[in-house]
Amino acid sequence: MKRFLRILLALTVLFLAYVGITLLLGTLGDWQPPASEEAEVVRTSDGPDVITDSVISLALWNIGYAGLGEESDFFFDNGGFFTAGDHMVRPPQAYMEKNIAGARLFTSSTQADFFLFQEVDRNSKRSYFIDQGDTLANQRPDYAAAFAANYQVSRVPLPILTPWKAYGKVRSGLLTLSKWQPTQQTRYQLPGDFPWPDRIFQLDRCLLESRFKTSSGKELVVINAHLSAYDKGGTLKKQQMAFLQEFVQAEYAKGNYVIVGADWNQCPPYFEFDRFMPGQSQGYTQTTIAEDFLPGGWQWLYDASLPTNRKLRAPLDDYSFRTLIDFYLVSPNIRAKRVKTLDQQFRFSDHQPVWVQVELL
């Protein structure tokens, strides 16, 4: 009995030392991005630097780091802070390769002037250290490409009780491809932070802003964004939305065109979060953007006929909860022409792409 207690004590001390060292190293290495900085240029465009077309198109897609396709569940959606159980921490490489092949095909075959991607990994253990930014940019070699990191952690230690399965190193973020060469591309840090120690291993949310000259003399400001998830009470999201609200109105006040394409992690105004599965929310909730978030004339563009997101407690089946959280916001000087969710049946990601065509007035 004494021997058992000694072994138990030794294991407890080792575990506590592991946790302490992990927290110490995580705190010392915690990434602290500035309020704003130039975005990382992946590629410049050989195309024109002035937009002369009045009608343009955009495609928006959270690719889920090519790790959250139809076969996937996700340990963190299953309360996997301490242990993953049978749930997926990282996808098998074959799954990831299938999903990134789907993302490559989408990028090369979809007719769009802009691509706004979220959850693009560039150096992450969960995606086998494949540079997905280069992979997608290579599908459009004549487009400009810029990257803004929003998740940069040397080692995510979860699940905490199975360090040999740990999520590991992550470098991921937003990728914007554009037919025209931008005049400026900037990463803006969004406000709000999780309390310590969660913030060490959580995302540092941001906006990726791309600015373009137009033949009208106005600038087109395209914003790629991914707002907070796993945000109990929505405290961080409220701060981020307040920042975005002020940001877009300031640009429109200058006379510019403004387009925001985002994984908002919330539904558009007036949209019931369980519209596609009424009464079958399975305990999920999703906030809705306030109806008076912006003054009249601003438009939320989405396809109400199809979901854009499915939840990840289990691999995809008929019972997977589906909702709509990926869509666009455009300023009053832009006319919406067409918007369509591209139905991939969630084969390659837990999100579906949304394509839109608009006219600059």
Side-chain angles (χ1 to χ4, degrees):
M1 184 66 178
K2 288 183 178 179
R3 183 183 179 189
F4 171 77
L5 291 174
R6 284 197 298 270
I7 293 173
L8 181 62
L9 178 61
L11 291 174
T12 301
V13 170
L14 284 173
F15 174 72
L16 292 176
Y18 163 70
V19 171
I21 292 170
T22 297
L23 292 176
L24 176 62
L25 294 178
T27 301
L28 293 175
D30 187 22
W31 181 45
Q32 298 289 329
S36 65
E37 62 181 339
E38 288 187 15
E40 184 176 336
V41 175
V42 179
R43 175 178 286 114
T44 57
S45 170
D46 293 330
D49 57 7
V50 177
I51 299 175
T52 56
D53 300 338
S54 61
V55 176
I56 60 173
S57 56
L58 303 92
L60 163 71
W61 191 19
N62 181 334
I63 68 166
Y65 61 88
L68 301 174
E70 61 189 336
E71 311 90 349
S72 298
D73 58 6
F74 188 50
F75 78 104
F76 208 66
D77 276 32
N78 287 278
F81 181 87
F82 292 103
T83 179
D86 295 329
H87 302 291
M88 195 177 294
V89 177
R90 296 185 304 277
Q93 189 163 355
Y95 289 0
M96 191 276 299
E97 290 174 350
K98 182 267 292 182
N99 295 333
I100 199 64
R104 287 200 306 269
L105 178 61
F106 168 81
T107 309
S108 63
S109 62
T110 301
Q111 297 303 309
D113 300 316
F114 300 87
F115 291 86
L116 310 181
F117 295 109
Q118 299 86 42
E119 290 195 41
V120 177
D121 277 8
R122 303 206 69 193
N123 186 15
S124 302
K125 182 178 180 180
R126 63 185 183 179
S127 51
Y128 300 88
F129 299 101
I130 291 173
D131 189 333
Q132 297 174 352
D134 277 353
T135 297
L136 296 179
N138 287 341
Q139 308 311 305
R140 293 282 181 168
D142 54 336
Y143 278 40
F147 176 80
N150 66 6
Y151 199 9
Q152 192 160 300
V153 181
S154 60
R155 184 175 185 273
V156 178
L158 304 179
I160 198 73
L161 294 179
T162 52
W164 57 91
K165 286 185 178 180
Y167 209 51
K169 180 179 181 180
V170 181
R171 186 168 189 263
S172 186
L174 311 174
L175 179 75
T176 297
L177 309 182
S178 56
K179 179 179 175 180
W180 294 276
Q181 179 62 32
T183 58
Q184 184 179 338
Q185 293 184 291
T186 307
R187 180 195 188 278
Y188 288 98
Q189 178 65 28
L190 287 170
D193 229 338
F194 286 91
W196 187 91
D198 284 359
R199 68 168 177 262
I200 301 170
F201 309 112
Q202 281 283 0
L203 287 80
D204 293 276
R205 305 281 181 172
C206 68
L207 307 179
L208 173 52
E209 177 209 66
S210 304
R211 307 181 76 93
F212 302 87
K213 295 178 182 177
T214 73
S215 55
S216 71
K218 302 175 182 179
E219 281 190 292
L220 169 64
V221 180
V222 177
I223 298 169
N224 186 350
H226 185 188
L227 303 188
S228 282
Y230 304 111
D231 176 18
K232 290 182 180 179
T235 303
L236 300 183
K237 205 172 294 169
K238 289 175 184 175
Q239 296 177 63
Q240 294 164 6
M241 289 294 284
F243 180 95
L244 186 60
Q245 180 184 52
E246 183 177 341
F247 192 98
V248 299
Q249 290 189 99
E251 287 299 332
Y252 177 60
K254 299 174 187 175
N256 293 332
Y257 304 109
V258 183
I259 300 175
V260 183
D263 171 358
W264 299 82
N265 271 308
Q266 56 196 319
C267 298
Y270 302 104
F271 194 92
E272 305 89 352
F273 83 99
D274 62 347
R275 178 178 297 190
F276 301 107
M277 303 179 71
Q280 303 176 58
S281 63
Q282 303 162 26
Y284 287 106
T285 59
Q286 202 82 61
T287 55
T288 300
I289 296 172
E291 296 86 347
D292 60 352
F293 178 71
L294 286 167
W298 290 83
Q299 299 174 78
W300 304 96
L301 307 183
Y302 56 91
D303 177 356
S305 68
L306 288 169
T308 68
N309 172 245
R310 70 100 173 175
K311 303 307 179 184
L312 288 160
R313 285 183 186 157
L316 181 66
D317 60 23
D318 291 341
Y319 302 100
S320 299
F321 184 71
R322 297 161 172 83
T323 189
L324 190 154
I325 58 176
D326 307 86
F327 48 93
Y328 297 88
L329 170 67
V330 299
S331 53
N333 52 1
I334 296 176
R335 177 185 294 131
K337 294 180 71 68
R338 297 171 61 197
V339 59
K340 182 174 180 57
T341 296
L342 306 179
D343 192 4
Q344 299 179 337
Q345 300 291 311
F346 297 103
R347 289 192 300 273
F348 309 117
S349 173
D350 58 327
H351 291 256
Q352 303 221 84
V354 184
W355 181 90
V356 71
Q357 185 183 66
V358 299
E359 182 178 5
L360 309 179
L361 301 177

